[in-house]
Amino acid sequence: MKYNPVTPKIISELENIVGLKNVITRPEELYVYSRDSTIFEHSPDVVVIPKTAEQVSEILKLANREKIPVVPRGAGTSASGSPIPIMGGIVLDMSRNDKILEIDSHNLTVEVESGVVCDLLNEELAKHGFFFPPDPASSPACTIAGMVANNSAGNMAMKYGTTRDHVLWLEVVLPTGEIIQTGSTTIKSVSQFDLTRLMVGSEGQLGVITKVGLKLTPLPEHHATAFFIFKTVEDAAKAAVRVRSTMTTIPCMLEFLNETTTRAAFDYAGLEYPVGYTIILDFDGAKDTAEADLEAGFKLCEKENPIYKEKAKDAAHRTQLLTARKAALPALARLRPTTCMEDCTVQITKLPQAAKAIEEIPARLGAEDFMDLGNFGHIGDGNMHPTFCFDERIEEQRDVFFKGMDILYEDIILPLGGSVTGEHGIGLIRAKYIDREHGDASVKIMRGIKKLFDPNMILNPGKGKGG
Amino acid sequence: MTTEPKEESKLKRLEPFAEREIMRCMRCGFCRPLCPTWGFSEWDTGSPRGRMMLVRGMLQGDLEPSEYIADRLYLCTTCGYCEWRCPAGTKTVDIIEAARADLADLGLGRKSHHYIEERIREENNPLGEAKEERTSWASKELPQKGDLMYFVGCMASYREQGTAKATLNLIETVNPEGGYSVIGDELCCGSVLLRTGHREVAKALAEKNAELIKKSGAKIITTSCAGCYRTIRKDYELLGIDLNGVEILHFPELLNRWIDEGKLKPKNGEKIVVTYHDPCHLGRHMKVYDEPREVLKKLGVEVREIPLRNRETSACCGAGGGVRAEYKDSALEAATERLKQAEETGAKILVTPCPFCTFNLREAAAKNNIDMKVYDLVELVAKICT
């Protein structure tokens, strides 16, 4: 696909749409918008802050007419390269539209603009006794529309589902400029093909999300939490499998940190315990029930012989544990200059095999001297984030990292029947694996869907499921 | 992309951060939503993550130092929230200050900061007030020698004199026989110069102040200013200044000690409800969170915490890091936001142990008709105990 350059005339038209102060071409700003949290980079030609769906519509009409790439961006916390404008063009910074428009505690819904930060939404909802359960580790920074675009999931997905399960409706601007509302404000509605679910996880390829209607979930009365440290990765994985396949109650969280990650994250959170493979187990609900469930889960984990085990002493101790878990990725940046986080899922019964094979990747690469491998994630639903820690500035190390990705996805995850992404999306970095996971026919359908929405392929081109 | 510093680098102070420190920032963005300047910035360079990218760009030779970069880096209040929040341990404040020092050397410093430097050279204070008037707030001649030295600081000497008077009042109440000093020749501690990249002049000030401290015979130095406290306690050592092991206390730390020793007691039983603002230079920079709160509580004051934005997550008042001097509107905007957070407590009085925070918050309250009285903590304690 050939795209046209952003000319001074285009810049002038953009300024007419959103106002002079909401358009920038300064090289310093373009540099900052050239990256997300991956190692990839490409500068846009211009960054624009639209304030309304109508402005987004005008920008997309212009871009569609002129065949200029447009990349929507939330907080830029992506770990898949999704917001990187690899073809240049226009970046839409949607993070400044950050108002919570209405909390409806009678109909149990909330309406937000695209740029509301997940944790800030939950701070506000808590005042009303509710929460929005999807809880990615990036929740201190990521935006709701970014979560929708990636179908983010996080720590509590096992029990509460992913973002998809909480979205009632979306206001979306299509690449051709039409503004549509998908779904309904009602809890149930089957009067439409499920465009909402199609948009959720579409990685900014089918439309630009400008407003989101979410369901509200009542805050649980109590959390009961414990953690266990195991000597081997297999013991930790077996404990997780034992909890998931034995208990009739679904834990709120069943999280994992490998030894490397435990060391870095506990250091950040000020936790002083033996270092090993950590499992964090959490149940929520009525106090008696949650505590009883934890007791049952505790006994199951004990059977895999943890070297350390403890129930969280109080809310502060629990917060400390969750802080460590949530900070796992950036805490790994303490070890080496670069952290590249991957995202894979397997059935839970295959976790011990997968987790062990992942631990062996640096040795397979002969890279133990310059590469650490963090691994952490939502082991309760089979989702792990192997994280390569190295130095992106050294070409040899970059090459080894790419080989490591191939081993992870092609030699470990796909042969086990897993998926190459559980919650981060295909983005720029995993496109090469989707043919193998889904087959030619499925990929052809996905590309057809993309073409239907975006005939000129202007929206977030060159990546994702339809790119 | 290359990390090799360019030949004859213009970024001498930043260079030590090039190999490892700047790479810690992996752009997770945890620092962004609660950064005081992100709240009123349009673009990502108004956030700590964006600033770290600008520095990285300069160090890697991808970006040239520019007026625009200087503007973005000088907008930071150096409040340290990002540094506390950063799981990777990026030393954001040190990096910003080193960048500012290099930018100032390249002629990209802020005009107002150059004026400050000039005023300090001439009058020993950044406000341009006459050095002879430094102790004009005192109604009598002040002792020049003693075990305890009160380092007043420029804000309390000239702008928030209520703080200076209340501090002296409390010192005299506990030490009726004397034994303390307040040095009339005291110079600016150098904080504003260190924060804005004018390090050489700051070092000269530190050396002169160290001489005065030694001459006074002090075993304890106390200051009612959070900025002076951080500077004398932390930066002087980093600048290689030897204070001969003298103990350095923020005044509320000393008050807390005096209350525990029974030397200071409340005079009346009036019920006072306040909310408390953590000055960044006292809290996140020096980890002094408990003592000021302890003082208030021990004196019977009800302290209502600002929900979710207290202690480590406290929001900056907006004045620090040279921001008020150069970007006054931004400083007041941040202060207004902080006052709105304080209003959530229902308290009508905000206390803070820093005359600069007091000054900025008070002006924002007046400008925006916010019904919140702002006092230096020391003023309130003097009211209760003397």
Side-chain angles (χ1 to χ4, degrees):
Chain A
M1 183 64 63
K2 180 150 174 30
Y3 296 98
N4 289 322
V6 177
T7 61
K9 185 172 170 289
I10 300 289
I11 300 288
S12 170
E13 287 193 54
L14 290 168
E15 288 169 351
N16 286 338
I17 296 168
V18 296
L20 210 60
K21 74 180 180 80
N22 291 315
V23 177
I24 200 154
T25 55
R26 291 237 29 135
E28 297 91 343
E29 291 293 348
L30 301 185
Y31 183 75
V32 170
Y33 284 89
S34 70
R35 293 195 73 159
D36 61 0
S37 73
T38 64
I39 58 171
F40 302 98
E41 60 189 320
H42 196 287
S43 184
D45 295 301
V46 58
V47 184
V48 180
I49 299 178
K51 299 287 183 184
T52 64
E54 288 71 24
Q55 289 182 353
V56 174
S57 168
E58 290 304 310
I59 294 166
L60 290 177
K61 281 178 193 166
L62 169 66
N64 196 42
R65 187 188 78 211
E66 300 291 339
K67 297 191 176 50
I68 293 168
V70 178
V71 179
R73 179 183 171 105
T77 57
S78 166
S80 69
S82 199
I84 298 173
I86 53 167
M87 311 274 186
I90 303 165
V91 161
L92 299 180
D93 184 343
M94 303 300 290
S95 68
R96 305 284 29 190
N97 301 316
D98 55 2
K99 288 189 188 63
I100 298 169
L101 298 170
E102 187 187 7
I103 296 171
D104 183 343
S105 53
H106 299 291
N107 288 305
L108 303 181
T109 60
V110 59
E111 180 181 336
V112 299
E113 290 184 335
S114 54
V116 170
V117 171
C118 179
D119 274 3
L120 300 185
L121 173 64
N122 273 322
E123 276 185 11
E124 206 52 40
L125 294 179
K127 294 175 188 170
H128 302 263
F130 297 106
F131 76 124
F132 168 56
D135 186 33
S138 58
S139 69
C142 70
T143 65
I144 296 298
M147 290 177 69
V148 172
N150 285 287
N151 191 20
S152 300
N155 299 336
M156 293 186 271
M158 189 173 37
K159 176 167 180 179
Y160 289 100
T162 65
T163 297
R164 169 184 291 144
D165 302 302
H166 301 269
V167 179
L168 278 176
W169 59 267
L170 298 168
E171 181 186 80
V172 182
V173 187
L174 301 181
T176 41
E178 295 94 337
I179 302 171
I180 63 166
Q181 182 165 323
T182 72
S184 169
T185 55
T186 61
I187 297 295
K188 292 162 75 177
S189 170
V190 287
S191 59
Q192 172 187 71
F193 282 129
D194 200 340
L195 296 181
T196 307
R197 286 193 160 221
L198 185 59
M199 286 293 168
V200 178
S202 64
E203 301 184 50
Q205 290 213 298
L206 304 182
V208 178
I209 297 157
T210 47
K211 273 185 203 157
V212 182
L214 297 167
K215 293 179 201 169
L216 294 180
T217 304
L219 275 168
E221 175 193 310
H222 184 73
H223 280 273
T225 312
F227 70 105
F228 309 85
I229 298 168
F230 297 90
K231 196 172 177 186
T232 70
V233 64
E234 288 141 301
D235 290 346
K238 280 184 200 162
V241 174
R242 197 182 277 276
V243 169
R244 287 294 277 127
S245 35
T246 312
M247 290 188 73
T248 52
T249 311
I250 300 174
C252 174
M253 293 182 208
L254 181 46
E255 294 291 304
F256 164 71
L257 298 92
N258 80 343
E259 188 172 0
T260 302
T261 314
T262 298
R263 186 175 295 115
F266 278 24
D267 182 33
Y268 165 63
L271 291 163
E272 291 179 9
Y273 296 106
V275 172
Y277 295 83
T278 303
I279 292 283
I280 300 172
L281 179 62
D282 179 278
F283 289 88
D284 64 355
K287 188 173 181 183
D288 291 352
T289 313
E291 292 291 349
D293 287 337
L294 183 68
E295 186 56 34
F298 201 90
K299 283 181 180 151
L300 289 170
C301 287
E302 279 180 321
K303 291 187 178 173
E304 298 301 337
N305 303 313
I307 56 173
Y308 189 84
K309 58 195 174 181
E310 188 178 339
K311 288 182 184 173
K313 292 188 259 300
D314 48 31
H317 192 202
R318 177 178 184 271
T319 301
Q320 218 178 351
L321 286 166
L322 297 189
T323 300
R325 167 58 195 91
K326 280 207 158 185
L329 170 65
L332 282 168
R334 292 168 176 242
L335 305 181
R336 305 263 182 192
T338 302
T339 51
C340 279
M341 173 171 60
E342 298 306 317
D343 180 32
C344 56
T345 61
V346 293
Q347 290 177 309
I348 54 167
T349 50
K350 292 173 180 161
L351 277 168
Q353 192 184 343
K356 183 168 184 290
I358 289 167
E359 288 293 309
E360 291 164 356
I361 291 176
R364 281 181 67 178
L365 292 164
E368 293 119 309
D369 289 346
F370 60 82
M371 181 178 274
D372 293 307
L373 190 92
N375 190 15
F376 53 92
H378 323 296
I379 200 164
D381 55 25
N383 188 187
M384 289 177 289
H385 300 307
T387 300
F388 295 89
C389 308
F390 59 103
D391 191 338
E392 70 190 270
R393 298 169 295 185
I394 300 169
E395 205 165 328
E396 182 207 347
Q397 295 193 17
R398 284 171 79 101
D399 292 345
V400 169
F401 156 64
F402 290 123
K403 281 182 196 146
M405 275 181 74
D406 287 344
I407 290 174
L408 171 67
Y409 294 118
E410 292 179 338
D411 292 0
I412 300 172
I413 298 305
L414 291 172
L416 285 171
S419 176
V420 298
T421 177
E423 55 185 7
H424 295 172
I426 293 296
L428 193 55
I429 57 177
R430 283 178 276 272
K432 67 187 272 197
Y433 307 112
I434 55 172
D435 284 12
R436 184 166 163 194
E437 181 177 341
H438 295 290
D440 292 346
S442 287
V443 171
K444 198 173 165 192
I445 290 170
M446 290 196 282
R447 291 194 175 135
I449 291 170
K450 165 71 176 167
K451 197 82 182 164
L452 177 69
F453 278 80
D454 186 8
N456 287 330
M457 303 289 276
I458 60 161
L459 211 48
N460 211 2
K463 38 185 128 129
K465 303 159 184 90
Chain B
M1 188 194 300
T2 173
T3 55
E4 293 296 317
K6 290 191 293 185
E7 281 177 40
E8 292 185 34
S9 173
K10 303 167 190 168
L11 305 168
K12 291 186 180 62
R13 292 179 182 85
L14 271 178
E15 261 178 29
F17 296 98
E19 176 54 29
R20 184 67 188 91
E21 284 304 315
I22 196 64
M23 296 298 288
R24 286 179 189 269
C25 175
M26 44 72 68
R27 302 169 298 285
C28 71
F30 281 25
C31 54
R32 198 167 86 142
L34 298 190
C35 166
T37 64
W38 171 243
F40 51 78
S41 299
E42 289 85 21
W43 311 103
D44 210 4
T45 54
S47 75
R49 176 181 68 179
R51 293 189 183 105
M52 291 303 107
M53 276 288 281
L54 291 177
V55 170
R56 182 169 164 172
M58 290 194 294
L59 282 168
Q60 292 181 167
D62 298 331
L63 296 173
E64 277 296 309
S66 66
E67 172 62 29
Y68 189 82
I69 290 177
D71 177 73
R72 301 285 85 191
L73 297 186
Y74 275 104
L75 188 62
C76 167
T77 64
T78 65
C79 78
Y81 171 76
C82 48
E83 189 166 310
W84 172 79
R85 192 69 183 85
C86 181
T90 313
K91 299 284 177 206
T92 50
V93 175
D94 289 349
I95 290 171
I96 290 280
E97 289 182 6
R100 287 174 172 185
D102 283 335
L103 291 167
D105 282 354
L106 292 169
L108 293 167
R110 303 296 86 185
K111 269 187 189 162
S112 61
H113 300 157
H114 287 297
Y115 291 147
I116 282 174
E117 187 185 326
E118 278 174 28
R119 288 178 199 143
I120 289 174
R121 282 181 197 275
E122 287 163 16
E123 299 292 349
N124 297 338
N125 70 82
L127 305 163
E129 300 291 342
K131 55 187 163 197
E132 298 77 18
E133 299 294 315
R134 193 164 186 101
T135 53
S136 66
W137 54 271
S139 52
K140 60 179 183 185
E141 200 167 319
L142 295 164
Q144 300 297 299
K145 279 191 184 295
D147 287 350
L148 172 66
M149 175 182 176
Y150 172 34
F151 190 93
V152 186
C154 302
M155 283 305 292
S157 294
Y158 295 108
R159 293 285 182 272
E160 289 290 328
Q161 295 185 338
T163 299
K165 288 175 193 170
T167 305
L168 184 64
N169 189 358
L170 288 161
I171 290 173
E172 286 179 332
T173 302
V174 174
N175 304 278
E177 308 296 326
Y180 63 87
S181 68
V182 183
I183 310 298
D185 292 336
E186 172 192 296
L187 295 91
C188 169
C189 69
S191 175
V192 65
L193 297 174
L194 289 167
R195 310 285 83 83
T196 58
H198 300 258
R199 294 185 176 188
E200 280 69 24
V201 186
K203 189 171 183 193
L205 291 174
E207 283 164 353
K208 285 179 192 164
N209 275 327
E211 279 173 32
L212 294 174
I213 289 164
K214 282 174 198 163
K215 215 188 278 178
S216 78
K219 291 178 182 147
I220 297 174
I221 306 167
T222 189
T223 175
S224 47
C225 175
C228 295
Y229 175 67
R230 183 219 135 111
T231 304
I232 297 172
R233 176 125 190 215
K234 188 171 176 179
D235 293 311
Y236 278 21
E237 193 180 334
L238 295 173
L239 290 168
I241 306 293
D242 181 10
L243 292 177
N244 284 350
V246 63
E247 189 179 14
I248 303 154
L249 296 170
H250 191 52
F251 193 54
E253 291 181 294
L254 194 55
L255 287 173
N256 196 35
R257 195 180 283 181
W258 285 343
I259 292 167
D260 285 347
E261 290 168 0
K263 292 175 180 170
L264 206 55
K265 290 185 176 124
K267 286 259 158 89
N268 55 50
E270 190 189 348
K271 178 79 183 163
I272 301 172
V273 179
V274 304
T275 187
Y276 178 80
H277 166 75
D278 288 282
C280 305
H281 282 132
L282 190 62
R284 279 186 294 266
H285 284 235
M286 300 303 292
K287 298 181 175 50
V288 177
Y289 296 109
D290 293 326
E291 287 83 352
R293 289 172 166 84
E294 287 291 309
V295 166
L296 293 167
K297 286 174 189 168
K298 286 171 187 172
L299 295 176
V301 176
E302 181 186 337
V303 181
R304 292 187 188 165
E305 295 289 356
I306 299 175
L308 303 170
R309 303 284 182 268
N310 58 71
R311 299 176 69 93
E312 289 88 351
T313 56
S314 174
C316 176
C317 80
V323 168
R324 191 182 151 97
E326 180 69 19
Y327 307 95
K328 189 174 172 188
D329 289 348
S330 301
L332 290 173
E333 202 167 331
T336 306
E337 183 55 35
R338 183 60 174 156
L339 289 165
K340 283 182 190 163
Q341 294 168 5
E343 280 185 313
E344 285 184 41
T345 64
K348 296 290 179 194
I349 299 171
L350 180 147
V351 294
T352 184
C354 174
F356 201 28
C357 295
T358 304
F359 187 70
N360 199 47
L361 289 164
R362 194 180 279 160
E363 184 172 334
K367 193 181 167 199
N368 297 290
N369 296 317
I370 295 172
D371 184 17
M372 180 74 70
K373 291 197 165 41
V374 181
Y375 292 114
D376 193 308
L377 178 142
V378 178
E379 292 177 281
L380 186 70
V381 173
K383 209 170 165 184
I384 295 169
C385 297
T386 63

